Amino acid sequence: MTRTAIPKVGFISLGCPKATVDSERILTRLRADGYAIAADYASADLVVVNTCGFIDAAVDESLEAIGEALEEHGRVVVTGCLGARAALIREAHPEVLAVTGPQAETEVLAAVHAHLPPPAHHPFTDLLPAQGVKLTPAHYAYIKISEGCNHRCRFCIIPSLRGDLVSRPIGGILDEAHALVEAGVRELLVISQDTSAYGLDTRYRTDFWQGRPLRTDTETLARTLGELQAWVRLHYVYPYPQVDRLIPLMADELILPYLDMPLQHGSPNVLKAMRRPAATEQVLERLADWRRICPALVLRSTFIVGFPGETEADFEQLLDFLHEARLDRVGCFSYSPVAGAAANALPDPVPEALKEERRARFMALQAEISREKLAARVGQRAIVLVDEVLEEQVIARSGADAPEIDGRVLIEGAWELEPGDFIEVDLIASTEHDLIGEPVTGD
């Protein structure tokens, strides 16, 4: 390990976008305290690993990353969701310097200070941008509007890791969003564990932003974010009745006509076993109403197959739901037990081979729906946001596509564009996942 005049901290960030936001906050505070951020193990004086612990595969990945950091460097502080299970980490890796749980920025800083004191002079404080350190590309950013969750789904341990719902003051969120847009961010991705529950814990308390009193709720937040010069995309929105008030904002193009909803299943029996809302017919009716109000609405969701007790009839109901809902973007996971989840005590586990067979059938149906949906967009024009410019291809996204999880708009050829540019394209072809476009150069 090479010591330097300015202490350097290496950082590994794992998990979902909510964990990415946590990492950005920790890195911002480290920089403000005078630490430099190391690009590799060799140049670091200490390594922080922000872990994920939601499912067993994520636990394994986190433990492996901790082990690699210890092997490559030796001085490691662990934080994040898996940090809530400190005994598991210390059993696997007793040599870690400290373990803190999620939402523990102060504790992480204290652990780093204890093992790598900051310099007396903080050379980077004046260099930090108003929005702090970002881990995403310059042209888009995640904004986390709340912590925790009030649901008690049997397959999920998030409340035990991150606690109940705690909404951020709306003024602070808008200050952050404004600073990001002023710094050049062109897309704001609103995230939380339950975005449509924002403000419920505060009973929609009033806060102030730029002299205006604003109600702390999802509609007011979305409407005010829509005043900024950026795309606004909502993730993790449960289909509650209050979401109805968001759809006119999308129809009026104030925010993107895009909803990411964790529906999880289409069988009432399985949904009840999951402790999820089980009114699938009401969900389908609500989706139909939303599409009437906003025909351009794009719907994304995730589902779980093979939950304990799922019968073939339950699975067929799920396929029927998928066929009728005709969602634009869908992810599907085979159920796997999570340590500490209430679902572990349920009877009638589904065999692994059957889980995978059902998942394959599910994805085959969705692939057909996705192909049809994309093919229907050929011949239209769209505004797209440039993500990457290569020598002979430009990779962009339309408002229908969230970064990293959805499809892309591919533009062939060499073009004088930059990431973050908005351009208009004609959609000329489609594949199973992506669209092909060409810039509109004049009529």
Side-chain angles (χ1 to χ4, degrees):
M1 178 177 63
T2 302
R3 284 284 182 183
T4 58
I6 300 173
K8 291 187 177 181
V9 177
F11 205 97
I12 299 170
S13 183
L14 304 172
C16 65
K18 294 179 283 293
T20 299
V21 173
D22 292 342
S23 295
E24 290 174 338
R25 291 175 179 171
I26 294 169
L27 285 166
T28 297
R29 292 188 61 177
L30 286 169
R31 290 277 288 177
D33 279 355
Y35 297 98
I37 307 304
D40 49 39
Y41 290 123
S43 60
D45 297 310
L46 181 145
V47 176
V48 175
V49 181
N50 187 12
T51 59
C52 179
F54 180 50
I55 60 175
D56 287 350
V59 171
D60 293 342
E61 181 186 18
S62 294
L63 291 175
E64 182 178 341
I66 295 167
E68 178 185 290
L70 286 166
E71 182 178 345
E72 295 289 335
H73 189 277
R75 290 163 54 82
V76 177
V77 169
V78 178
T79 188
C81 284
L82 189 59
R85 300 166 64 186
L88 174 65
I89 293 173
R90 291 201 175 277
E91 180 181 356
H93 301 296
E95 61 269 47
V96 296
L97 299 176
V99 179
T100 75
Q103 306 169 55
E105 297 166 35
T106 300
E107 291 84 348
V108 175
L109 266 290
V112 173
H113 288 177
H115 297 281
L116 184 66
H121 172 59
H122 295 177
F124 302 120
T125 304
D126 295 337
L127 300 178
L128 277 172
Q131 78 274 14
V133 174
K134 283 177 77 269
L135 296 178
T136 54
H139 60 284
Y140 67 81
Y142 295 104
I143 295 186
K144 185 160 58 172
I145 64 173
S146 65
E147 295 284 1
C149 182
N150 288 343
H151 294 286
R152 293 298 182 265
C153 304
R154 277 197 169 104
F155 55 82
C156 181
I157 59 172
I158 290 297
S160 66
L161 298 176
R162 291 183 172 265
D164 290 335
L165 175 70
V166 179
S167 299
R168 290 179 61 192
I170 192 170
I173 297 170
L174 292 168
D175 282 340
E176 179 185 350
H178 185 264
L180 287 165
V181 174
E182 287 292 304
V185 167
R186 294 294 171 256
E187 180 177 11
L188 300 170
L189 299 112
V190 178
I191 59 171
S192 68
Q193 203 62 40
D194 182 359
T195 294
S196 42
Y198 174 68
L200 289 177
D201 57 314
T202 64
R203 297 186 179 181
Y204 304 125
R205 180 178 55 222
T206 298
D207 192 14
F208 288 83
W209 185 66
Q210 296 187 347
R212 287 186 290 168
L214 295 174
R215 193 168 180 253
T216 299
D217 68 294
T218 309
E219 179 192 3
T220 303
L221 177 62
R223 185 183 297 277
T224 312
L225 286 173
E227 297 173 5
L228 304 176
Q229 296 300 307
W231 278 357
V232 177
R233 189 183 303 276
L234 302 182
H235 286 275
Y236 314 122
V237 179
Y238 287 72
Y240 300 142
Q242 63 261 36
V243 177
D244 294 349
R245 299 196 295 270
L246 297 174
I247 308 304
L249 305 183
M250 298 177 181
D252 292 340
E253 300 183 350
L254 193 64
I255 62 175
L256 288 175
Y258 179 102
L259 279 178
D260 175 11
M261 304 173 299
L263 295 175
Q264 308 300 5
H265 213 278
S267 161
N269 290 335
V270 174
L271 289 167
K272 288 176 183 176
M274 290 177 168
R275 290 184 182 155
R276 300 279 297 178
T280 53
E281 287 302 320
Q282 291 182 19
V283 170
L284 289 170
E285 290 171 5
R286 181 161 286 123
L287 299 188
D289 287 340
W290 291 349
R291 283 166 166 155
R292 278 192 289 271
I293 297 168
C294 182
L297 180 63
V298 172
L299 297 169
R300 145 170 279 283
S301 191
T302 53
F303 294 85
I304 298 172
V305 297
F307 192 76
E310 181 190 66
T311 65
E312 184 63 25
D314 292 324
F315 179 69
E316 290 293 339
Q317 282 185 296
L318 172 58
L319 295 183
D320 289 343
F321 177 87
L322 189 66
H323 183 78
E324 189 166 351
R326 294 189 62 79
L327 304 174
D328 299 88
R329 305 292 190 188
V330 169
C332 182
F333 302 92
S334 297
Y335 172 78
S336 61
V338 177
N344 297 343
L346 292 176
D348 303 322
V350 178
E352 291 298 324
L354 184 54
K355 290 180 191 177
E356 292 306 314
E357 186 266 341
R358 287 177 178 173
R359 181 179 179 278
R361 289 166 59 194
F362 178 99
M363 293 308 298
L365 173 57
Q366 180 56 37
E368 178 183 340
I369 294 170
S370 296
R371 277 194 297 270
E372 293 173 359
K373 287 258 184 179
L374 289 174
R377 296 183 61 193
V378 173
Q380 299 177 1
R381 283 189 173 179
I383 300 296
V384 300
L385 178 61
V386 174
D387 277 338
E388 189 175 2
V389 180
L390 307 175
E391 286 189 9
E392 297 296 332
Q393 186 183 65
V394 174
I395 299 173
R397 289 179 293 109
S398 72
D401 307 303
E404 299 183 359
I405 58 173
D406 290 333
R408 304 169 299 175
V409 177
L410 305 177
I411 303 168
E412 300 303 326
W415 300 89
E416 293 185 4
L417 295 167
E418 297 290 337
D421 286 347
F422 285 110
I423 62 169
E424 188 176 26
V425 299
D426 286 318
L427 302 175
I428 60 173
S430 65
T431 68
E432 183 175 322
H433 301 291
D434 301 321
L435 287 161
I436 312 300
E438 59 182 20
V440 176
T441 55
D443 293 316

